[in-house]
Amino acid sequence: MRENKRFALIASLFALIGLPIIFLTVSLYTGEWRFFIVSIAPSLTAGLTGLILTMQKVSKDKRMA
C-alpha cells in the first residue's frame, strides 16, 4: 500500500498554521478573542502530533532506502 506522506505533511501544517490564522481572522472581525484563544491548544496538539509522526515516517523510509 502506497502512503501519501505529502498529503499528511500538508494536513499537519494546515492544522498547525492554517487553523489559527482562520480563527485569528474571525477574532479580528468579531472582536471576540475567545475564538482564537480556544483554537490554539487543539491546533498545536493536532498539528504537532501529525508533523512528528509524518517526519518520523519519512526519516524511517529514508533509512530503509
Side-chain angles (χ1 to χ4, degrees):
M1 185 169 97
R2 184 175 170 268
E3 296 175 359
N4 197 350
K5 292 178 215 74
R6 179 178 286 171
F7 178 73
L9 183 63
I10 291 170
S12 61
L13 288 176
F14 177 75
L16 189 61
I17 299 168
L19 288 177
I21 289 174
I22 290 170
F23 282 104
L24 177 65
T25 305
V26 170
S27 295
L28 288 171
Y29 181 72
T30 62
E32 186 64 44
W33 287 96
R34 280 183 281 175
F35 291 126
F36 181 64
I37 299 299
V38 171
S39 74
I40 291 175
S43 295
L44 283 175
T45 303
L48 287 177
T49 302
L51 189 63
I52 289 169
L53 292 174
T54 303
M55 296 310 286
Q56 284 178 348
K57 191 69 167 173
V58 168
S59 68
K60 180 182 176 185
D61 289 346
K62 282 185 180 179
R63 282 185 299 203
M64 294 182 81

Short mmCIF file of all heavy atoms in Angstrom, two decimals:
data_model
loop_
_atom_site.label_atom_id
_atom_site.label_comp_id
_atom_site.label_asym_id
_atom_site.label_seq_id
_atom_site.Cartn_x
_atom_site.Cartn_y
_atom_site.Cartn_z
N MET A 1 0.84 -1.18 0.00
CA MET A 1 0.00 0.00 0.00
C MET A 1 0.89 1.24 0.00
O MET A 1 1.80 1.37 0.81
CB MET A 1 -0.89 -0.03 1.24
CG MET A 1 -1.88 1.11 1.26
SD MET A 1 -3.11 0.89 2.55
CE MET A 1 -2.38 1.91 3.82
N ARG A 2 0.60 2.14 -0.91
CA ARG A 2 1.40 3.36 -1.03
C ARG A 2 0.90 4.41 -0.03
O ARG A 2 -0.30 4.65 0.08
CB ARG A 2 1.26 3.90 -2.45
CG ARG A 2 2.13 5.09 -2.70
CD ARG A 2 2.04 5.49 -4.17
NE ARG A 2 2.67 6.77 -4.36
CZ ARG A 2 2.03 7.93 -4.31
NH1 ARG A 2 0.76 7.96 -4.07
NH2 ARG A 2 2.68 9.05 -4.50
N GLU A 3 1.82 5.00 0.69
CA GLU A 3 1.45 6.02 1.67
C GLU A 3 1.65 7.40 1.06
O GLU A 3 2.61 7.63 0.33
CB GLU A 3 2.32 5.87 2.91
CG GLU A 3 2.10 4.57 3.62
CD GLU A 3 3.05 4.39 4.77
OE1 GLU A 3 3.89 5.28 5.01
OE2 GLU A 3 2.96 3.35 5.42
N ASN A 4 0.76 8.28 1.36
CA ASN A 4 0.83 9.63 0.83
C ASN A 4 1.36 10.56 1.92
O ASN A 4 0.60 11.20 2.63
CB ASN A 4 -0.55 10.07 0.34
CG ASN A 4 -0.47 11.25 -0.57
OD1 ASN A 4 0.59 11.86 -0.70
ND2 ASN A 4 -1.56 11.60 -1.20
N LYS A 5 2.68 10.63 2.03
CA LYS A 5 3.30 11.44 3.08
C LYS A 5 3.18 12.93 2.81
O LYS A 5 3.13 13.73 3.73
CB LYS A 5 4.75 11.03 3.24
CG LYS A 5 4.92 9.65 3.80
CD LYS A 5 6.38 9.30 3.88
CE LYS A 5 6.63 7.88 3.59
NZ LYS A 5 6.53 7.43 2.24
N ARG A 6 3.12 13.31 1.54
CA ARG A 6 2.99 14.72 1.20
C ARG A 6 1.65 15.27 1.70
O ARG A 6 1.59 16.35 2.27
CB ARG A 6 3.11 14.92 -0.31
CG ARG A 6 2.95 16.38 -0.71
CD ARG A 6 3.12 16.58 -2.16
NE ARG A 6 4.54 16.45 -2.44
CZ ARG A 6 5.05 16.39 -3.64
NH1 ARG A 6 4.28 16.42 -4.69
NH2 ARG A 6 6.35 16.29 -3.81
N PHE A 7 0.57 14.50 1.51
CA PHE A 7 -0.73 14.94 2.00
C PHE A 7 -0.74 15.03 3.53
O PHE A 7 -1.31 15.95 4.09
CB PHE A 7 -1.84 13.99 1.52
CG PHE A 7 -3.19 14.38 2.03
CD1 PHE A 7 -3.85 15.49 1.53
CD2 PHE A 7 -3.80 13.65 3.03
CE1 PHE A 7 -5.09 15.85 2.01
CE2 PHE A 7 -5.03 14.01 3.52
CZ PHE A 7 -5.68 15.11 3.00
N ALA A 8 -0.11 14.05 4.19
CA ALA A 8 -0.04 14.08 5.65
C ALA A 8 0.73 15.30 6.14
O ALA A 8 0.33 15.94 7.13
CB ALA A 8 0.61 12.80 6.16
N LEU A 9 1.80 15.66 5.45
CA LEU A 9 2.58 16.83 5.83
C LEU A 9 1.77 18.11 5.62
O LEU A 9 1.75 18.99 6.49
CB LEU A 9 3.87 16.88 5.02
CG LEU A 9 4.83 18.00 5.34
CD1 LEU A 9 5.33 17.88 6.78
CD2 LEU A 9 6.00 17.99 4.39
N ILE A 10 1.08 18.21 4.50
CA ILE A 10 0.26 19.39 4.23
C ILE A 10 -0.88 19.51 5.24
O ILE A 10 -1.17 20.61 5.74
CB ILE A 10 -0.27 19.35 2.78
CG1 ILE A 10 0.88 19.55 1.81
CG2 ILE A 10 -1.36 20.40 2.55
CD1 ILE A 10 0.53 19.29 0.36
N ALA A 11 -1.52 18.40 5.57
CA ALA A 11 -2.63 18.43 6.53
C ALA A 11 -2.14 18.84 7.92
O ALA A 11 -2.81 19.64 8.60
CB ALA A 11 -3.29 17.06 6.59
N SER A 12 -0.99 18.34 8.34
CA SER A 12 -0.49 18.71 9.66
C SER A 12 -0.04 20.17 9.71
O SER A 12 -0.26 20.85 10.71
CB SER A 12 0.64 17.78 10.09
OG SER A 12 1.72 17.87 9.21
N LEU A 13 0.54 20.66 8.62
CA LEU A 13 0.91 22.08 8.59
C LEU A 13 -0.31 22.98 8.55
O LEU A 13 -0.31 24.06 9.15
CB LEU A 13 1.83 22.36 7.40
CG LEU A 13 3.24 21.81 7.52
CD1 LEU A 13 4.02 22.06 6.23
CD2 LEU A 13 3.96 22.42 8.70
N PHE A 14 -1.37 22.53 7.86
CA PHE A 14 -2.60 23.32 7.86
C PHE A 14 -3.19 23.36 9.26
O PHE A 14 -3.65 24.43 9.71
CB PHE A 14 -3.63 22.73 6.89
CG PHE A 14 -4.93 23.48 6.91
CD1 PHE A 14 -5.03 24.72 6.31
CD2 PHE A 14 -6.03 22.95 7.55
CE1 PHE A 14 -6.22 25.43 6.36
CE2 PHE A 14 -7.22 23.64 7.60
CZ PHE A 14 -7.32 24.88 6.99
N ALA A 15 -3.17 22.24 9.98
CA ALA A 15 -3.70 22.23 11.35
C ALA A 15 -2.84 23.09 12.26
O ALA A 15 -3.35 23.75 13.17
CB ALA A 15 -3.76 20.80 11.88
N LEU A 16 -1.54 23.12 12.01
CA LEU A 16 -0.62 23.87 12.86
C LEU A 16 -0.63 25.36 12.56
O LEU A 16 -0.55 26.18 13.48
CB LEU A 16 0.79 23.31 12.70
CG LEU A 16 1.86 23.78 13.64
CD1 LEU A 16 1.50 23.43 15.07
CD2 LEU A 16 3.18 23.14 13.28
N ILE A 17 -0.75 25.74 11.30
CA ILE A 17 -0.64 27.14 10.90
C ILE A 17 -1.96 27.71 10.38
O ILE A 17 -2.35 28.82 10.74
CB ILE A 17 0.47 27.31 9.84
CG1 ILE A 17 1.80 26.87 10.40
CG2 ILE A 17 0.54 28.74 9.35
CD1 ILE A 17 2.90 26.72 9.38
N GLY A 18 -2.63 26.95 9.52
CA GLY A 18 -3.81 27.46 8.84
C GLY A 18 -4.99 27.72 9.75
O GLY A 18 -5.65 28.77 9.66
N LEU A 19 -5.29 26.78 10.63
CA LEU A 19 -6.45 26.96 11.52
C LEU A 19 -6.29 28.15 12.46
O LEU A 19 -7.24 28.92 12.62
CB LEU A 19 -6.73 25.67 12.28
CG LEU A 19 -7.33 24.55 11.42
CD1 LEU A 19 -7.50 23.28 12.24
CD2 LEU A 19 -8.65 24.98 10.83
N PRO A 20 -5.14 28.33 13.11
CA PRO A 20 -5.01 29.54 13.94
C PRO A 20 -5.15 30.84 13.14
O PRO A 20 -5.70 31.82 13.65
CB PRO A 20 -3.62 29.42 14.55
CG PRO A 20 -3.35 27.97 14.57
CD PRO A 20 -3.99 27.43 13.34
N ILE A 21 -4.70 30.84 11.89
CA ILE A 21 -4.85 32.04 11.07
C ILE A 21 -6.33 32.30 10.77
O ILE A 21 -6.79 33.45 10.82
CB ILE A 21 -4.03 31.92 9.77
CG1 ILE A 21 -2.55 32.03 10.10
CG2 ILE A 21 -4.43 32.99 8.76
CD1 ILE A 21 -1.63 31.78 8.93
N ILE A 22 -7.08 31.23 10.50
CA ILE A 22 -8.52 31.39 10.26
C ILE A 22 -9.21 31.94 11.51
O ILE A 22 -10.00 32.88 11.43
CB ILE A 22 -9.14 30.05 9.82
CG1 ILE A 22 -8.67 29.68 8.43
CG2 ILE A 22 -10.67 30.12 9.87
CD1 ILE A 22 -9.02 28.28 8.00
N PHE A 23 -8.90 31.36 12.66
CA PHE A 23 -9.52 31.83 13.89
C PHE A 23 -9.04 33.21 14.29
O PHE A 23 -9.79 33.98 14.90
CB PHE A 23 -9.32 30.83 15.02
CG PHE A 23 -10.23 29.65 14.93
CD1 PHE A 23 -9.78 28.43 14.49
CD2 PHE A 23 -11.57 29.76 15.27
CE1 PHE A 23 -10.62 27.34 14.39
CE2 PHE A 23 -12.44 28.69 15.18
CZ PHE A 23 -11.96 27.47 14.74
N LEU A 24 -7.81 33.57 13.95
CA LEU A 24 -7.34 34.93 14.18
C LEU A 24 -8.13 35.92 13.34
O LEU A 24 -8.52 36.99 13.82
CB LEU A 24 -5.84 35.04 13.87
CG LEU A 24 -5.23 36.43 13.99
CD1 LEU A 24 -5.27 36.90 15.44
CD2 LEU A 24 -3.81 36.43 13.47
N THR A 25 -8.39 35.56 12.10
CA THR A 25 -9.18 36.41 11.22
C THR A 25 -10.60 36.59 11.77
O THR A 25 -11.13 37.71 11.79
CB THR A 25 -9.24 35.80 9.81
OG1 THR A 25 -7.91 35.60 9.35
CG2 THR A 25 -9.98 36.72 8.85
N VAL A 26 -11.20 35.50 12.22
CA VAL A 26 -12.54 35.58 12.80
C VAL A 26 -12.52 36.45 14.06
O VAL A 26 -13.42 37.27 14.27
CB VAL A 26 -13.09 34.17 13.12
CG1 VAL A 26 -14.36 34.23 13.94
CG2 VAL A 26 -13.32 33.39 11.84
N SER A 27 -11.50 36.29 14.88
CA SER A 27 -11.40 37.08 16.11
C SER A 27 -11.21 38.57 15.81
O SER A 27 -11.78 39.42 16.49
CB SER A 27 -10.25 36.58 16.96
OG SER A 27 -10.50 35.28 17.39
N LEU A 28 -10.40 38.88 14.81
CA LEU A 28 -10.22 40.29 14.43
C LEU A 28 -11.52 40.88 13.89
O LEU A 28 -11.83 42.04 14.16
CB LEU A 28 -9.11 40.42 13.39
CG LEU A 28 -7.69 40.21 13.88
CD1 LEU A 28 -6.72 40.15 12.72
CD2 LEU A 28 -7.30 41.30 14.86
N TYR A 29 -12.26 40.09 13.13
CA TYR A 29 -13.51 40.58 12.54
C TYR A 29 -14.60 40.79 13.59
O TYR A 29 -15.31 41.79 13.56
CB TYR A 29 -13.99 39.60 11.47
CG TYR A 29 -15.26 40.02 10.80
CD1 TYR A 29 -15.26 41.08 9.90
CD2 TYR A 29 -16.45 39.35 11.04
CE1 TYR A 29 -16.43 41.48 9.27
CE2 TYR A 29 -17.62 39.74 10.43
CZ TYR A 29 -17.61 40.80 9.54
OH TYR A 29 -18.77 41.20 8.93
N THR A 30 -14.72 39.83 14.54
CA THR A 30 -15.79 39.91 15.52
C THR A 30 -15.39 40.65 16.80
O THR A 30 -16.27 41.12 17.52
CB THR A 30 -16.26 38.50 15.92
OG1 THR A 30 -15.19 37.80 16.53
CG2 THR A 30 -16.79 37.75 14.73
N GLY A 31 -14.11 40.73 17.08
CA GLY A 31 -13.66 41.35 18.32
C GLY A 31 -13.76 40.41 19.51
O GLY A 31 -13.49 40.79 20.63
N GLU A 32 -14.12 39.17 19.27
CA GLU A 32 -14.25 38.16 20.33
C GLU A 32 -13.01 37.27 20.29
O GLU A 32 -12.87 36.40 19.43
CB GLU A 32 -15.51 37.33 20.10
CG GLU A 32 -15.83 36.36 21.19
CD GLU A 32 -16.14 37.05 22.50
OE1 GLU A 32 -16.88 38.05 22.52
OE2 GLU A 32 -15.62 36.58 23.53
N TRP A 33 -12.08 37.48 21.21
CA TRP A 33 -10.78 36.82 21.17
C TRP A 33 -10.82 35.39 21.69
O TRP A 33 -9.85 34.66 21.57
CB TRP A 33 -9.76 37.64 21.93
CG TRP A 33 -9.42 38.85 21.14
CD1 TRP A 33 -9.94 40.09 21.27
CD2 TRP A 33 -8.52 38.91 20.04
NE1 TRP A 33 -9.42 40.93 20.33
CE2 TRP A 33 -8.54 40.24 19.56
CE3 TRP A 33 -7.70 37.99 19.41
CZ2 TRP A 33 -7.77 40.63 18.48
CZ3 TRP A 33 -6.93 38.38 18.34
CH2 TRP A 33 -6.98 39.70 17.88
N ARG A 34 -11.95 34.97 22.28
CA ARG A 34 -12.03 33.59 22.76
C ARG A 34 -11.93 32.60 21.61
O ARG A 34 -11.48 31.48 21.79
CB ARG A 34 -13.31 33.37 23.54
CG ARG A 34 -13.19 33.90 24.97
CD ARG A 34 -14.42 33.62 25.74
NE ARG A 34 -15.41 34.63 25.35
CZ ARG A 34 -16.65 34.65 25.76
NH1 ARG A 34 -17.10 33.71 26.55
NH2 ARG A 34 -17.47 35.61 25.39
N PHE A 35 -12.39 32.97 20.41
CA PHE A 35 -12.27 32.08 19.25
C PHE A 35 -10.81 31.71 19.03
O PHE A 35 -10.47 30.54 18.83
CB PHE A 35 -12.80 32.74 17.98
CG PHE A 35 -14.28 32.95 17.95
CD1 PHE A 35 -14.80 34.20 17.72
CD2 PHE A 35 -15.15 31.89 18.15
CE1 PHE A 35 -16.16 34.40 17.67
CE2 PHE A 35 -16.51 32.08 18.11
CZ PHE A 35 -17.02 33.34 17.88
N PHE A 36 -9.95 32.70 19.06
CA PHE A 36 -8.52 32.47 18.81
C PHE A 36 -7.86 31.72 19.96
O PHE A 36 -7.11 30.77 19.75
CB PHE A 36 -7.82 33.80 18.57
CG PHE A 36 -6.36 33.66 18.29
CD1 PHE A 36 -5.92 33.01 17.15
CD2 PHE A 36 -5.42 34.20 19.15
CE1 PHE A 36 -4.56 32.88 16.88
CE2 PHE A 36 -4.07 34.07 18.89
CZ PHE A 36 -3.64 33.41 17.76
N ILE A 37 -8.14 32.14 21.18
CA ILE A 37 -7.52 31.54 22.36
C ILE A 37 -7.88 30.06 22.47
O ILE A 37 -7.03 29.21 22.75
CB ILE A 37 -7.93 32.30 23.64
CG1 ILE A 37 -7.49 33.76 23.57
CG2 ILE A 37 -7.41 31.62 24.89
CD1 ILE A 37 -6.00 33.96 23.48
N VAL A 38 -9.16 29.74 22.24
CA VAL A 38 -9.61 28.36 22.37
C VAL A 38 -9.07 27.49 21.24
O VAL A 38 -8.90 26.28 21.40
CB VAL A 38 -11.16 28.32 22.41
CG1 VAL A 38 -11.70 26.92 22.32
CG2 VAL A 38 -11.65 28.99 23.68
N SER A 39 -8.74 28.07 20.09
CA SER A 39 -8.27 27.27 18.96
C SER A 39 -6.78 26.93 19.03
O SER A 39 -6.32 26.06 18.30
CB SER A 39 -8.54 28.00 17.65
OG SER A 39 -7.64 29.07 17.48
N ILE A 40 -6.02 27.59 19.87
CA ILE A 40 -4.58 27.39 19.89
C ILE A 40 -4.19 25.98 20.37
O ILE A 40 -3.41 25.30 19.71
CB ILE A 40 -3.89 28.47 20.74
CG1 ILE A 40 -4.00 29.81 20.04
CG2 ILE A 40 -2.42 28.12 20.98
CD1 ILE A 40 -3.48 30.97 20.84
N ALA A 41 -4.73 25.54 21.49
CA ALA A 41 -4.35 24.23 22.04
C ALA A 41 -4.70 23.07 21.10
O ALA A 41 -3.85 22.22 20.84
CB ALA A 41 -4.97 24.03 23.42
N PRO A 42 -5.94 22.99 20.57
CA PRO A 42 -6.22 21.88 19.65
C PRO A 42 -5.39 21.94 18.37
O PRO A 42 -4.99 20.89 17.84
CB PRO A 42 -7.71 22.04 19.32
CG PRO A 42 -8.26 22.90 20.38
CD PRO A 42 -7.15 23.74 20.88
N SER A 43 -5.11 23.13 17.88
CA SER A 43 -4.30 23.25 16.67
C SER A 43 -2.87 22.77 16.92
O SER A 43 -2.29 22.07 16.09
CB SER A 43 -4.28 24.70 16.19
OG SER A 43 -5.56 25.10 15.80
N LEU A 44 -2.31 23.15 18.04
CA LEU A 44 -0.96 22.69 18.37
C LEU A 44 -0.93 21.18 18.58
O LEU A 44 -0.01 20.51 18.11
CB LEU A 44 -0.45 23.40 19.62
CG LEU A 44 0.03 24.83 19.44
CD1 LEU A 44 0.38 25.44 20.79
CD2 LEU A 44 1.21 24.89 18.51
N THR A 45 -1.93 20.66 19.26
CA THR A 45 -1.98 19.23 19.52
C THR A 45 -2.07 18.43 18.22
O THR A 45 -1.29 17.51 17.98
CB THR A 45 -3.18 18.89 20.42
OG1 THR A 45 -3.07 19.64 21.63
CG2 THR A 45 -3.21 17.41 20.74
N ALA A 46 -3.02 18.79 17.37
CA ALA A 46 -3.20 18.06 16.12
C ALA A 46 -2.03 18.28 15.17
O ALA A 46 -1.53 17.33 14.55
CB ALA A 46 -4.50 18.49 15.46
N GLY A 47 -1.59 19.52 15.04
CA GLY A 47 -0.52 19.84 14.10
C GLY A 47 0.80 19.23 14.46
O GLY A 47 1.48 18.64 13.62
N LEU A 48 1.19 19.34 15.71
CA LEU A 48 2.48 18.79 16.13
C LEU A 48 2.49 17.27 16.12
O LEU A 48 3.48 16.65 15.75
CB LEU A 48 2.87 19.32 17.50
CG LEU A 48 3.30 20.78 17.54
CD1 LEU A 48 3.58 21.22 18.97
CD2 LEU A 48 4.52 21.01 16.68
N THR A 49 1.36 16.66 16.53
CA THR A 49 1.29 15.21 16.50
C THR A 49 1.43 14.70 15.07
O THR A 49 2.21 13.77 14.80
CB THR A 49 -0.04 14.72 17.10
OG1 THR A 49 -0.15 15.20 18.43
CG2 THR A 49 -0.13 13.21 17.09
N GLY A 50 0.68 15.28 14.16
CA GLY A 50 0.77 14.86 12.76
C GLY A 50 2.13 15.13 12.17
O GLY A 50 2.67 14.30 11.42
N LEU A 51 2.72 16.27 12.50
CA LEU A 51 4.03 16.62 11.97
C LEU A 51 5.11 15.66 12.48
O LEU A 51 5.95 15.18 11.71
CB LEU A 51 4.37 18.06 12.34
CG LEU A 51 5.61 18.65 11.71
CD1 LEU A 51 5.45 18.73 10.19
CD2 LEU A 51 5.87 20.03 12.27
N ILE A 52 5.08 15.36 13.75
CA ILE A 52 6.08 14.46 14.33
C ILE A 52 5.96 13.06 13.73
O ILE A 52 6.96 12.45 13.33
CB ILE A 52 5.96 14.41 15.86
CG1 ILE A 52 6.44 15.74 16.46
CG2 ILE A 52 6.74 13.25 16.46
CD1 ILE A 52 6.13 15.91 17.92
N LEU A 53 4.73 12.55 13.64
CA LEU A 53 4.54 11.21 13.08
C LEU A 53 4.93 11.15 11.60
O LEU A 53 5.55 10.17 11.15
CB LEU A 53 3.09 10.76 13.26
CG LEU A 53 2.66 10.49 14.70
CD1 LEU A 53 1.18 10.19 14.76
CD2 LEU A 53 3.48 9.38 15.30
N THR A 54 4.61 12.18 10.86
CA THR A 54 4.97 12.21 9.44
C THR A 54 6.48 12.28 9.26
O THR A 54 7.04 11.55 8.43
CB THR A 54 4.31 13.42 8.75
OG1 THR A 54 2.90 13.35 8.94
CG2 THR A 54 4.62 13.45 7.27
N MET A 55 7.13 13.13 10.03
CA MET A 55 8.58 13.25 9.89
C MET A 55 9.29 11.97 10.33
O MET A 55 10.31 11.60 9.74
CB MET A 55 9.09 14.44 10.69
CG MET A 55 8.56 15.78 10.17
SD MET A 55 8.76 16.00 8.40
CE MET A 55 10.49 16.30 8.30
N GLN A 56 8.78 11.28 11.34
CA GLN A 56 9.36 10.00 11.73
C GLN A 56 9.23 8.98 10.62
O GLN A 56 10.16 8.21 10.35
CB GLN A 56 8.69 9.47 13.00
CG GLN A 56 9.12 10.17 14.25
CD GLN A 56 8.39 9.64 15.47
OE1 GLN A 56 7.41 8.90 15.37
NE2 GLN A 56 8.87 10.03 16.65
N LYS A 57 8.07 8.94 9.97
CA LYS A 57 7.85 8.00 8.88
C LYS A 57 8.76 8.31 7.69
O LYS A 57 9.32 7.40 7.08
CB LYS A 57 6.38 8.06 8.46
CG LYS A 57 5.98 6.98 7.53
CD LYS A 57 5.99 5.66 8.23
CE LYS A 57 5.28 4.63 7.41
NZ LYS A 57 5.40 3.30 7.96
N VAL A 58 8.93 9.59 7.38
CA VAL A 58 9.80 9.98 6.27
C VAL A 58 11.24 9.59 6.57
O VAL A 58 11.93 9.03 5.72
CB VAL A 58 9.68 11.49 6.00
CG1 VAL A 58 10.78 11.99 5.06
CG2 VAL A 58 8.32 11.82 5.41
N SER A 59 11.72 9.86 7.78
CA SER A 59 13.10 9.51 8.12
C SER A 59 13.30 8.00 8.16
O SER A 59 14.36 7.50 7.77
CB SER A 59 13.51 10.15 9.43
OG SER A 59 12.80 9.59 10.51
N LYS A 60 12.29 7.26 8.61
CA LYS A 60 12.40 5.80 8.61
C LYS A 60 12.49 5.26 7.19
O LYS A 60 13.28 4.36 6.92
CB LYS A 60 11.19 5.20 9.33
CG LYS A 60 11.21 3.71 9.38
CD LYS A 60 9.96 3.18 10.06
CE LYS A 60 9.94 1.67 10.03
NZ LYS A 60 8.68 1.14 10.56
N ASP A 61 11.69 5.82 6.28
CA ASP A 61 11.72 5.38 4.89
C ASP A 61 13.06 5.73 4.22
O ASP A 61 13.54 4.99 3.39
CB ASP A 61 10.55 5.97 4.10
CG ASP A 61 9.23 5.35 4.50
OD1 ASP A 61 9.24 4.30 5.18
OD2 ASP A 61 8.17 5.92 4.15
N LYS A 62 13.64 6.86 4.58
CA LYS A 62 14.93 7.25 4.01
C LYS A 62 16.04 6.31 4.49
O LYS A 62 16.96 5.99 3.74
CB LYS A 62 15.27 8.69 4.39
CG LYS A 62 14.54 9.70 3.55
CD LYS A 62 15.00 11.11 3.87
CE LYS A 62 14.27 12.12 3.03
NZ LYS A 62 14.69 13.48 3.35
N ARG A 63 15.97 5.89 5.74
CA ARG A 63 16.99 4.96 6.28
C ARG A 63 16.89 3.61 5.61
O ARG A 63 17.89 2.94 5.40
CB ARG A 63 16.83 4.80 7.78
CG ARG A 63 17.40 5.94 8.57
CD ARG A 63 17.31 5.62 10.01
NE ARG A 63 15.87 5.46 10.32
CZ ARG A 63 15.34 5.60 11.51
NH1 ARG A 63 16.08 5.87 12.53
NH2 ARG A 63 14.06 5.46 11.70
N MET A 64 15.66 3.18 5.28
CA MET A 64 15.46 1.86 4.67
C MET A 64 15.87 1.86 3.19
O MET A 64 16.18 0.81 2.66
CB MET A 64 14.02 1.42 4.82
CG MET A 64 13.62 1.16 6.26
SD MET A 64 11.95 0.60 6.38
CE MET A 64 12.16 -1.12 5.99
N ALA A 65 15.84 3.00 2.56
CA ALA A 65 16.15 3.06 1.13
C ALA A 65 17.63 3.09 0.85
O ALA A 65 18.49 3.14 1.57
CB ALA A 65 15.51 4.30 0.51
#
